[in-house]
């Protein structure tokens, strides 16, 4: 019966916690909630978008009224976009709500891990009990 129990309780618990689909799903929800929280935090600050547009034309271009014209020019247009949407009530509320969703997802993940560990421990002890019963039955048959 010792060959049947080649794994111990610690290994069974770690394998169960690592391979259960509900645990993995809970981990993904935590990552998603953390990303949402970071996005909501970032919404409180302005965003800056620099841009440089360069255009060079050499050769012939068609004029507005149709004839071809010789053209040779360069154009450089730097720009800077500063965007800051000010709605502090909404931004703060969304950040707080995102934080609460993150905390909820973290609790859900811990619960899923605890459920997986409990199930693995129960199955391990059922296996150990069955193995012990088998050993007792074999011993009784020999006597």
């Amino acid at each position: 019966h010792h060959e049947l129990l080649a794994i111990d309780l610690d290994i069974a618990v770690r394998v169960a916690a690592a391979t259960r689909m509900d645990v993995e799903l809970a981990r993904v929800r935590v990552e998603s909630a953390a990303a949402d929280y970071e996005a909501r935090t970032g919404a409180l600050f302005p965003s800056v978008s620099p841009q440089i547009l360069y255009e060079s034309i050499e050769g012939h271009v068609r004029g507005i009224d149709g004839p071809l014209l010789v053209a040779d020019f360069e154009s450089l247009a730097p720009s800077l976009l500063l965007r800051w949407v000010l709605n502090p009530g909404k931004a703060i509320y969304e950040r707080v709500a995102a934080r609460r969703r993150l905390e909820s997802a973290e609790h859900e993940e811990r619960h899923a891990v605890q459920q997986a560990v409990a199930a693995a421990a129960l199955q391990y002890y059922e296996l150990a009990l069955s193995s012990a019963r088998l050993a007792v039955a074999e011993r009784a048959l020999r006597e």
Side-chain angles (χ1 to χ4, degrees):
H1 72 278
H2 292 291
E3 292 176 10
L4 291 175
L5 296 175
I7 63 170
D8 60 356
L9 180 60
D10 183 47
I11 292 173
V13 166
R14 281 189 280 145
V15 167
T19 59
R20 296 265 310 242
M21 185 60 76
D22 52 344
V23 173
E24 186 61 31
L25 183 60
R27 285 188 185 129
V28 169
R29 285 187 184 132
V30 168
E31 291 173 8
S32 174
D36 184 47
Y37 177 70
E38 289 178 15
R40 301 300 176 180
T41 302
L44 296 173
F45 302 102
S47 63
V48 178
S49 301
Q51 180 180 5
I52 297 177
L53 178 63
Y54 174 75
E55 182 180 19
S56 174
I57 295 180
E58 291 182 22
H60 295 84
V61 294
R62 184 162 304 275
I64 294 174
D65 53 353
L68 289 175
L69 306 171
V70 176
D72 183 18
F73 68 90
E74 295 179 355
S75 163
L76 180 66
S79 64
L80 181 68
L81 174 65
L82 175 65
R83 184 174 155 245
W84 195 5
V85 178
L86 291 176
N87 188 347
K90 181 180 178 187
I92 292 171
Y93 169 78
E94 287 179 350
R95 184 174 183 270
V96 169
R99 179 68 189 158
R100 296 294 179 240
R101 285 190 297 272
L102 174 59
E103 291 170 357
S104 174
E106 289 170 344
H107 288 295
E108 181 184 346
E109 179 187 19
R110 282 195 293 275
H111 177 72
V113 170
Q114 288 173 352
Q115 290 293 99
V117 167
L122 183 63
Q123 290 171 352
Y124 177 81
Y125 283 119
E126 286 177 0
L127 178 63
L129 180 61
S130 297
S131 177
R133 286 180 179 161
L134 180 63
V136 168
E138 287 176 351
R139 194 174 311 140
L141 284 176
R142 279 189 240 139
E143 294 176 358

